[in-house]
Amino acid sequence: MAQQDPIEWALSEALRRAATVTDGTVADYIPELAHTDPELFGIAAVGRRGRRFRAGDAEAQFTIQSISKPFVYAMVLAERGEDHVHDRVGFEPSGEPFNAISLDERGRPANPMINAGAIVTTALVEGAGLDERFERLRGTLSAFAGRPLELDDAVYRSESITGHRNRALASLALAAGVLEGTVEDATELYFRQCALRVTTSDLAAMAATLANGGTNPVTGESVVGELVARNTLSLMASCGMYDHAGEWMYRVGMPAKSGVGGGIVAVRPGQFGVGVFSPRLDRAGNSARGVAALTLLSQTFDLHLLGA
Ligand code: GLU
């Protein structure tokens, strides 16, 4: 019998142990997300030299949702520069849920990882018209993943029909003078970015690109520069896990970002990226089994960044 790769064995073990977690519910405030199979559970990792490891439903497709935020942030940071971006969005963890009305004393959303800040960030993607801007955004996220990512039209439409709270957040940002363009364009572009379809293998490659200073280790393409990758990881470390970001850093100790589709990316800078997917979410909106699997991996392999 062929011997299992030791890293894939460790990933399978993390899935097996984390599968004992049965709490959490699939997001349904975007109606289309409620149709996801709650039992899907997959994990993948990509190393700094581009080696790929998988276990479970690693090739199941789901929508990227908020995991798109750090990658779009990296894109606009590279294109528009730090001053332009951070005149409009802050650096601080909000300690509040992802869809909170959270503006600082200058009227800026607290950070680019919560919805208000992500919409302001997305509004900075350049191009002539919405379709061209989306194609540019899709092109950059695809370069992070190392393959062309496609739009899940049903999820996009479902959020576009129901996303009134996000439109309200965009309106507040417009009133505060920090949103470029119109509320309609910013939110439509944001809804499309959230509805891009990925697998955990894609997420692992995207995370590994950040781990590798902005160069995709599978394709060799330089997607963003080293400083942009580092700055993106900094905000993921402090703000990536919704109102659970502090406890996440304490227990797991890796920059990460989760999405309501059930995905999580985590990065061990200089070494590898991991993607995990399980649709049932805990109270903070993070994948319950995904958090359990990454916590186990961090503890078993001493992945905490602040460890000696
Ligand atoms: N598209 C979702 C929203 O804005 C993303 C939320 C998330 O993944 O945190 O509500």
Side-chain angles (χ1 to χ4, degrees), residues 43-54 58-59 64 67 71 140-147 149 198-221 223 264-267 271-276:
I43 191 163
V46 169
R48 207 179 162 171
R49 282 190 283 279
R51 275 191 71 195
R52 226 181 253 279
F53 308 91
R54 302 177 175 94
E59 300 305 324
I64 189 167
I67 303 169
F71 299 97
T140 302
L141 267 58
S142 298
F144 271 110
R147 74 167 185 103
L149 301 180
V198 288
T199 65
T200 58
S201 276
D202 295 326
L203 292 183
M206 295 173 88
T209 302
L210 291 177
N212 191 36
T215 297
N216 185 318
V218 181
T219 63
E221 183 179 356
V223 186
I264 306 179
V265 289
V267 179
Q271 294 187 10
F272 58 81
V274 189
V276 62

Side-chain angles (χ1 to χ4, degrees), residues 29-30 65-66 69 98 115 159 166 190 194 242 258-261:
Y29 75 99
I30 300 173
Q65 298 298 339
S66 280
K69 292 171 181 172
F98 69 100
N115 288 8
E159 186 166 19
N166 282 326
Y190 170 77
C194 288
Y242 306 123
S258 61
V260 293

Side-chain angles (χ1 to χ4, degrees), residues 32-256:
E32 195 62 30
L33 291 183
H35 303 147
T36 314
D37 174 358
E39 289 310 320
L40 289 170
F41 195 14
I43 191 163
V46 169
R48 207 179 162 171
R49 282 190 283 279
R51 275 191 71 195
R52 226 181 253 279
F53 308 91
R54 302 177 175 94
D57 302 311
E59 300 305 324
Q61 301 220 2
F62 53 97
T63 54
I64 189 167
Q65 298 298 339
S66 280
I67 303 169
S68 59
K69 292 171 181 172
F71 299 97
V72 175
Y73 171 70
M75 176 183 181
V76 301
L77 209 51
E79 290 187 357
R80 310 294 297 268
E82 182 178 305
D83 291 347
H84 191 86
V85 174
H86 281 285
D87 274 347
R88 292 161 178 80
V89 60
F91 296 96
E92 303 304 335
S94 69
E96 291 179 305
F98 69 100
N99 59 5
I101 298 172
S102 170
L103 303 177
D104 69 12
E105 69 295 340
R106 290 170 53 186
R108 300 177 308 177
N111 67 69
M113 303 296 143
I114 53 170
N115 288 8
I119 294 167
V120 164
T121 304
T122 295
L124 298 175
V125 171
E126 291 175 300
L130 195 55
D131 289 342
E132 185 182 311
R133 293 169 73 205
F134 177 61
E135 281 312 310
R136 293 195 60 252
L137 183 156
R138 190 169 78 88
T140 302
L141 267 58
S142 298
F144 271 110
R147 74 167 185 103
L149 301 180
E150 302 294 337
L151 182 73
D152 186 323
D153 209 48
V155 173
Y156 159 60
R157 280 171 204 279
S158 184
E159 186 166 19
S160 178
I161 290 166
T162 56
H164 308 304
R165 189 177 173 94
N166 282 326
R167 291 195 182 89
L169 294 173
S171 295
L172 286 175
L174 184 68
V178 295
L179 187 83
E180 267 190 24
T182 66
V183 166
E184 195 54 24
D185 278 0
T187 48
E188 284 307 303
L189 191 54
Y190 170 77
F191 296 147
R192 289 192 205 179
Q193 106 185 23
C194 288
L196 284 170
R197 252 194 237 119
V198 288
T199 65
T200 58
S201 276
D202 295 326
L203 292 183
M206 295 173 88
T209 302
L210 291 177
N212 191 36
T215 297
N216 185 318
V218 181
T219 63
E221 183 179 356
S222 168
V223 186
V224 292
E226 253 180 66
L227 185 59
V228 166
R230 193 190 77 186
N231 289 339
T232 303
L233 289 171
S234 303
L235 286 178
M236 289 167 72
S238 56
C239 315
M241 296 296 279
Y242 306 123
D243 34 336
H244 186 69
E247 187 173 344
W248 171 268
M249 202 56 202
Y250 181 95
R251 296 198 190 285
V252 183
M254 288 191 277

Side-chain angles (χ1 to χ4, degrees), residues 302 304-308:
D302 277 335
H304 199 300
L305 278 186
L306 305 177

